[in-house]
Amino acid sequence: MIKSEEVIEVLDKIGDKIIEEKDYLTELDRPIGDNDHGINMAKGFTEVKKKLPSLKGQDLGSIFKTVGMTLVSTVGGSSGPLYGTAFMKMGMSLTAKKEMSFAEFLTAFKAGVEGVGQRGRSAAEEKTMLDAMIPALKAMEAACGRGQDAREALKEGAAAALAGAEHTKELIATKGRASYLGERGIGHQDPGATSFTYMIQTAAEQF
Ligand code: ADP
Ligand code: MG
């Protein structure tokens, strides 16, 4: 079982990683966006890191909901409401739970990914964060189905997210700012798919 203290620890490390990669994520957003993805995400996760200590002892639902609300209220740009929705949906799925099995985590993550699609009116292959999230979800579900443990499943999820983020270079964006560029966006990796890859890589390393 995964306990809320462990989740707080992982979220804190995710915050560190996002803050560490701030400049690179912003750089990715320059050619196909407005040069602010890393700035937006680092701002949001700086606030998340400040809130985490006060969440000790709370259930997983409250922890994820607070993270989501913090991202919505502090991140300017579309990534704030989108990541915020993902974390809030995960929180709703984990209401009142002090610990979760990996299967429960996957159910929550699936709700989060679906939440992004609904909020962003987006789907796979549109050159967004979903192009890392959906492959990660599928890989972890498949790993679980083969009886792999959480550690192995997360590793496979992280590898699938990375491959998905790299694949966004080949895609033409049909959602978000990158869609204004059309074919000229080809060759550029999506910033949001990259920030999500950092999150799941960090989670996999922490396990
Ligand atoms: P903004 O585009 O408002 O400047 P950010 O730069 O912080 O916001 O985030 C851009 C990222 O948000 C993109 O790289 C993409 O992954 C994601 N994104 C944008 N629009 C959508 C959408 N409709 N659905 C899913 N993800 C999206
Ligand atoms: Mg931007």
Side-chain angles (χ1 to χ4, degrees):
M1 293 298 268
I2 305 164
K3 295 190 168 46
S4 54
E5 302 89 81
E6 295 173 82
V7 170
I8 289 176
E9 181 78 27
V10 172
L11 288 167
D12 189 59
K13 291 287 190 299
I14 286 175
D16 291 340
K17 178 70 178 170
I18 294 293
I19 292 165
E20 196 182 304
E21 300 292 347
K22 174 181 166 187
D23 291 343
Y24 179 61
L25 290 171
T26 299
E27 183 65 19
L28 287 177
D29 196 35
R30 189 174 49 79
I32 57 168
D34 57 352
N35 207 18
D36 66 358
H37 185 60
I39 296 167
N40 290 339
M41 295 295 290
K43 191 172 165 218
F45 274 93
T46 299
E47 290 310 311
V48 166
K49 274 176 66 75
K50 280 188 206 159
K51 291 235 170 94
L52 289 176
S54 68
L55 298 176
K56 286 213 175 87
Q58 293 200 21
D59 64 84
L60 291 163
S62 310
I63 293 168
F64 279 102
K65 280 179 218 164
T66 302
V67 169
M69 288 187 297
T70 305
L71 293 176
V72 170
S73 60
T74 57
V75 180
S78 43
S79 57
L82 292 165
Y83 273 123
T85 299
F87 280 101
M88 287 193 287
K89 292 278 182 190
M90 289 184 75
M92 286 176 218
S93 171
L94 295 164
T95 298
K97 290 200 162 74
K98 287 267 184 191
E99 52 180 24
M100 61 183 166
S101 64
F102 191 69
E104 285 171 323
F105 165 76
L106 277 186
T107 302
F109 179 58
K110 184 164 194 259
V113 174
E114 285 169 357
V116 172
Q118 281 155 11
R119 180 88 198 223
R121 299 174 194 281
S122 44
E125 302 286 303
E126 293 198 280
K127 202 180 179 91
T128 72
M129 56 177 74
L130 285 176
D131 292 309
M133 289 175 168
I134 293 169
L137 173 64
K138 287 187 181 155
M140 289 191 287
E141 284 174 342
C144 242
R146 291 197 313 275
Q148 305 276 30
D149 61 8
R151 185 193 164 88
E152 190 53 41
L154 274 168
K155 252 169 86 179
E156 292 184 22
L162 179 62
E166 284 173 348
H167 171 62
T168 62
K169 287 184 199 164
E170 294 152 35
L171 299 174
I172 296 174
T174 43
K175 292 285 151 58
R177 288 179 196 278
S179 65
Y180 309 154
L181 274 101
E183 285 184 11
R184 281 177 293 143
I186 292 177
H188 298 289
Q189 186 167 317
D190 180 65
T194 311
S195 56
F196 173 72
T197 300
Y198 291 146
M199 292 183 196
I200 187 165
Q201 282 175 338
T202 304
E205 281 160 20
Q206 285 299 304
F207 242 78

